[in-house]
Amino acid sequence: MTRFALTVEFDGRPFMGWQRQTHGPSVQAALEAAVLAVTGEAAAVHAAGRTDAGVHGLAMRAHCDIAKPITPFRLMEALNALLRPAPVAVLACDAVADDWHARFSCVGRSYEYRIVNRRAPLTVERGLAWQVPQPLDAGAMAAAAAMLVGRHDFTTFRSAHCQADSPVRTLDVLTVEREGDLIMVQAAARSFLHHQVRSMVGCLALVGMGRWAPSEVGAALAARDRARLGLNAPPDGLFFVGAVYPVGAAAG
């Protein structure tokens, strides 16, 4: 039995999210079907994190255990051939130690959220960014974002369906930068709550529109009350961009 670590890119639009679902297609199910077709084995594919319906992945880390003798390169090539035409691709594949786990060995996760701030409709970026037609003040958004960095109770920014044991998380990075019409929000933490990034971005957008003062984001955080959430951003602009593993760890 060999454990293979995968780096996976996917367009989330056709899927109900990463996790296998009974009511629609998922990225996990697409990969597991491809593994079954290649190896004849019903191997589970575990990921560094879950994504909601419509959320994308640029470098999701995952792993599966396979008994059939096969090289990482041949496995990657075969999976990519069988995944077509689904918008899922295996970018890298490596054999790793049996105790390496895509989820439980992970010590950091990062996301980016893309906002296109213009009045003209989206064309090539439709479904891949959130279009906000009102002018956004990225500087005010950045000031508000700084209030969320650190260890806090993020109940306000947590979905009512979140299954995490605690709402307390340490947010290591939350930055806002503008380049032309594109506003990029970068977020990094050891782990995130369900909808946390989208909820934070939604409130930052309210600040950018001038509907909230930056201090109101801090007040919403301190309230520890989901009812104080101003806006939950849509999934379109959210991308899982990376997973971090301990230095020296296999597949890290």
Side-chain angles (χ1 to χ4, degrees):
M1 186 74 72
T2 303
R3 178 159 292 187
F4 291 94
L6 312 174
T7 302
V8 183
E9 178 183 273
F10 58 90
D11 179 341
R13 285 176 287 185
F15 301 109
M16 300 301 295
W18 169 274
Q19 190 174 16
R20 191 186 311 109
Q21 305 284 337
T22 59
H23 59 284
S26 68
V27 180
Q28 182 183 27
L31 282 162
E32 289 175 348
V35 170
L36 178 62
V38 171
T39 66
E41 301 171 35
V45 179
H46 304 275
R50 300 175 181 177
T51 56
D52 292 332
V55 175
H56 318 292
L58 296 181
M60 176 65 77
R61 299 291 276 160
H63 81 264
C64 58
D65 296 329
I66 295 174
K68 178 180 179 177
I70 187 169
T71 66
F73 179 77
R74 288 192 63 190
L75 177 61
M76 179 177 68
E77 290 289 284
L79 291 177
N80 283 333
L82 288 164
L83 284 164
R84 300 187 184 102
V88 181
V90 179
L91 306 182
C93 179
D94 301 285
V96 296
D98 292 345
D99 62 352
W100 187 88
H101 196 286
R103 178 184 174 190
F104 298 122
S105 299
C106 185
V107 296
R109 295 161 176 86
S110 57
Y111 288 85
E112 68 179 28
Y113 196 100
R114 303 176 183 180
I115 300 172
V116 177
N117 189 205
R118 74 182 195 196
R119 293 190 61 81
L122 299 186
T123 55
V124 297
E125 293 174 300
R126 185 176 181 181
L128 300 173
W130 178 23
Q131 182 194 3
V132 177
Q134 306 97 312
L136 293 174
D137 182 342
M141 293 170 67
M147 299 179 184
L148 299 177
V149 175
R151 186 170 179 81
H152 306 289
D153 181 328
F154 282 97
T155 295
T156 301
F157 302 93
R158 175 190 193 184
S159 166
H161 303 292
C162 182
Q163 298 177 358
D165 292 335
S166 170
V168 176
R169 290 292 185 272
T170 299
L171 184 61
D172 298 314
V173 174
L174 189 64
T175 62
V176 181
E177 296 182 353
R178 176 188 280 275
E179 184 175 339
D181 290 337
L182 179 64
I183 294 177
M184 298 284 289
V185 181
Q186 304 283 350
R190 185 181 184 94
S191 63
F192 290 88
L193 301 167
H194 188 203
H195 281 185
Q196 182 180 346
V197 176
R198 289 171 55 192
S199 296
M200 294 188 301
V201 170
C203 291
L204 296 181
L206 290 178
V207 172
M209 296 173 194
R211 292 168 56 185
W212 275 22
S215 61
E216 290 182 77
V217 172
L221 174 69
R224 294 178 291 179
D225 180 359
R226 182 68 177 177
R228 290 291 302 274
L229 181 73
L231 179 65
N232 199 39
D236 306 36
L238 186 58
F239 292 74
F240 183 99
V241 297
V244 179
Y245 296 88
V247 175

